[in-house]
Amino acid sequence: MPFQPVVPEKLSAAVTRQIEQLILRGILRPGERLPSERELSERLEVSRPSLREAISDLSERGLLTSRKGAGVYVADVLGSAFSPALVRLFASHDEAVFDYLSFRRDMEGLAAERAARLGSDTDLAVIAAVFARMEAAHQKRDPSDEAALDAEFHLSIIEASHNVVMLHMMRSMYELLREGVFYNRQIMFRQKTTRATLLDQHRAINSALQARDPAGARQAVVDHLSYVEACLADNRKAEAHEAVARQRLEHVGGKG
């Protein structure tokens, strides 16, 4: 039988594997700074030469990057799932916006269901903490803070789903949303009634997750994103009507 002798693993290889897993699971994020060499070697209980060997290996493979005088960082392994040309195309067509929301509804509904079943107590505590910050931001009436926390809330659910492929794919998608490629979420937060409704919807999602109700969590996400879609559709119709009204006024003015 093809059994091979077990060879003790080098310390640097064990360090490499541990950092790889942290990046894979999304615990170490792109752009995040690693602890200092001294602190990290103490935490891992390995010598500095072993740590340096591991960091060198990970850097050569594009997972870590060193910044002179600033330390070692997780490389921008996320990138974009789409080419710049396709991103520009998305930004100029409403069809892409609504397809994006449909995609999110399916993926995030599944993520919420998985998070309710598979998320650890720590995962759910993180989600609850983000929601608490959303409530605080709502009282301050700062659309930019609410928009940023909205993204953080949804991503924390995806992290709690414990599916690494979904995690990295959706992080890439959210980068485009933060850049306003699909729609400007801050506009949605400016209307008082919309802001209150969105907060209530996030509360419903959080409550279902904390109760570990997979079906309820999934439905709460579906209801939330369906509402977002309806709001955007209404905004598009209002913009179209305003454009027609302006054209008519310009036409009448031209005749005068």
Side-chain angles (χ1 to χ4, degrees):
M1 300 183 77
F3 292 111
Q4 298 293 327
V6 175
V7 178
E9 187 175 34
K10 288 176 61 180
L11 282 176
S12 62
V15 172
T16 296
R17 191 175 67 256
Q18 185 173 153
I19 294 175
E20 283 177 339
Q21 288 174 341
L22 291 173
I23 294 172
L24 180 66
R25 293 170 185 168
I27 298 170
L28 283 176
R29 304 184 178 196
E32 187 170 346
R33 185 180 182 277
L34 266 60
S36 68
E37 183 181 281
R38 177 181 177 181
E39 182 182 351
L40 192 53
S41 64
E42 289 176 353
R43 284 197 200 178
L44 295 170
E45 297 183 357
V46 299
S47 66
R48 291 194 184 187
S50 293
L51 177 61
R52 288 178 196 141
E53 186 176 346
I55 289 175
S56 175
D57 176 46
L58 291 163
S59 297
E60 286 178 8
R61 291 192 283 122
L63 292 173
L64 296 179
T65 182
S66 297
R67 300 178 189 174
K68 192 172 182 180
V72 179
Y73 293 77
V74 178
D76 185 12
V77 293
L78 194 61
S80 174
F82 312 102
S83 69
L86 191 56
V87 168
R88 289 192 294 271
L89 190 61
F90 284 161
S92 60
H93 289 271
D94 284 350
E95 180 182 357
V97 174
F98 294 107
D99 280 351
Y100 169 75
L101 283 168
S102 177
F103 177 81
R104 276 188 62 194
R105 188 162 46 229
D106 291 342
M107 290 295 101
E108 293 186 32
L110 175 60
E113 184 180 280
R114 287 176 57 89
R117 287 191 296 107
L118 306 174
S120 66
D121 290 343
T122 300
D123 290 327
L124 297 186
V126 168
I127 294 168
V130 176
F131 178 70
R133 289 164 58 203
M134 291 178 75
E135 289 185 306
H138 183 78
Q139 296 302 320
K140 294 178 183 177
R141 300 181 180 180
D142 186 338
S144 60
D145 277 356
E146 283 188 272
L149 287 167
D150 180 275
E152 188 175 343
F153 179 81
H154 285 277
L155 283 172
S156 68
I157 295 172
I158 292 165
E159 289 170 353
S161 73
H162 294 282
N163 184 304
V164 296
V165 175
M166 182 186 293
L167 169 62
H168 291 283
M169 177 181 67
M170 294 305 293
R171 273 189 180 169
S172 179
M173 297 288 284
Y174 264 89
E175 285 303 310
L176 296 180
L177 183 59
R178 284 195 185 99
E179 294 166 10
V181 170
F182 291 108
Y183 60 88
N184 187 338
R185 62 174 60 209
Q186 288 190 40
I187 292 175
M188 293 190 63
F189 284 95
R190 288 174 189 161
Q191 297 180 355
K192 186 176 180 180
T193 54
T194 302
R195 289 176 62 240
T197 301
L198 290 171
L199 184 65
D200 287 342
Q201 290 169 355
H202 287 101
R203 181 178 292 108
I205 296 169
N206 181 56
S207 295
L209 288 168
Q210 302 305 324
R212 292 195 176 276
D213 177 3
R218 184 169 194 158
Q219 188 59 52
V221 167
V222 168
D223 291 344
H224 165 57
L225 290 171
S226 294
Y227 175 79
V228 171
E229 183 177 23
C231 285
L232 287 172
D234 289 343
N235 285 339
R236 292 292 193 268
K237 288 178 183 176
E239 290 170 358
H241 289 154
E242 289 174 4
V244 170
R246 282 196 302 271
Q247 288 177 351
R248 287 175 178 170
L249 285 173
E250 290 172 359
H251 182 66
V252 172
K255 284 185 175 181

